[in-house]
Amino acid sequence: MLYYLGIFFGTDAFKNTPLRLFRMYSVLILVALYAGFLTVRYLLPLFYKFLPNDRGREFTLSKEVSKGKPTGAGVFFVSVFVILTFLLIPLNYLTGGILFLTWCMMLTGYLDDRSEKGWGEYIKAFLDFVIVTAMALIMAYALKQASPDNQIRFWFPFFKNPVAVPDWLYIIITIVILWVSVNTTNCTDGVDGLSSTLVLVGLIIMGILFYIVLGHANIASRLNVPQVIFNGDHLGPYFEGKEKLGLHLGAHLSVMCFSFAGVVMGYLWHNSFPSSVLMGDAGSRALGFFIGVCVLLSGNPLMILATSTIICINGGLGLLKVALKRFLHISILTNIRFPLHDHMRKNHGWSPTQVLIKFTLIQIMISLAVLGIFFKIR
């Protein structure tokens, strides 16, 4: 991996070689972003012929326009993200688990994309539950190990000190947030570029926060938020007596965020309206899962507002409406079509480009307001 290579060439024997730059997280972030973008930008079209064709989503305005286009592109760009991250940063069971389970979430979506009739809702719900529960257990264990008193804590605005959370409650919160993030992101994937652009905003926000704020001891201390760090073993015999570095989770998560941002940008090059390829459930489910994991590892579950407010409103209210109608026979928001982007197109005459730009602008403004409140009112 390039990080270890940078550490090795940073020793006295190789201190003048440029390869030592790979020990710098800022360099790894740039490599992750550009390598992800260029790889997907130029290689994705070569895989169109291997991808399934879109069947057209039921109850969406664009189902006829999308029908027949290659879909499931998430299988390619999520795999590129996993490979890049593996090459760029040291892995432990937490970051390795994130990569593996993100890929598994992608795989369930891809197999559904390839299925002629599509998988049933309950099968997908069960698979979601298995994957998000596994992630919740891994994260709970890792955060307890990283805590000096074996306690998991959340930090919130208006609270000076972090709040201890029982293990069982943390696992339940994690399962709920990951499930919501996966399914609302999936529901938002109905206008060319919309879901992936909104997630891209969230990835960049989280990448910056992990690198500059939550991964930096002095800045985190000044803002009175916990530093995101996972203490690991030293990096091997080459560094005995010289560098016994912990695995700094904040910086590593930043590299992962920008790696995913890079591959999403490469995909958007081909998915901008009018799209030539669709990411399908393979892409949307993996994106929703990963952004949810980032939110939880930030230590503040309300950070989902900074990354996914529009996604949750756009897709989440529709899920709530259907669930209340199906299980409790309660009707709400009867005059509003969901996902909300279909309502704006059908009832207000917005074009797909207007939906994309206006939803993205609103999310950026919400994100800036949320970040200002969360980090300054402590």
Side-chain angles (χ1 to χ4, degrees), residues 69-130:
K69 290 183 180 179
T71 188
V75 70
F76 179 75
F77 70 73
V78 173
S79 296
V80 171
F81 155 71
V82 171
I83 293 170
L84 274 178
T85 303
F86 176 79
L87 293 174
L88 291 174
I89 65 172
L91 298 180
N92 53 42
Y93 62 86
L94 176 57
T95 50
I98 293 171
L99 286 185
F100 175 71
L101 292 175
T102 300
W103 193 85
C104 287
M105 187 63 79
M106 175 278 297
L107 183 62
T108 62
Y110 179 68
L111 293 176
D112 182 39
D113 291 333
R114 290 202 71 91
S115 174
E116 290 186 5
K117 296 183 179 180
W119 291 2
E121 295 177 359
Y122 295 107
I123 293 177
K124 290 191 285 188
F126 172 75
L127 294 173
D128 286 349
F129 179 75
V130 171

Side-chain angles (χ1 to χ4, degrees), residues 188 198 305 308-315 359-360 362-363 366:
T188 302
L198 291 173
L305 299 175
S308 309
T309 298
I310 295 299
I311 288 175
C312 290
I313 293 173
N314 185 62
F359 276 26
T360 303
I362 294 171
Q363 180 60 62
I366 292 173

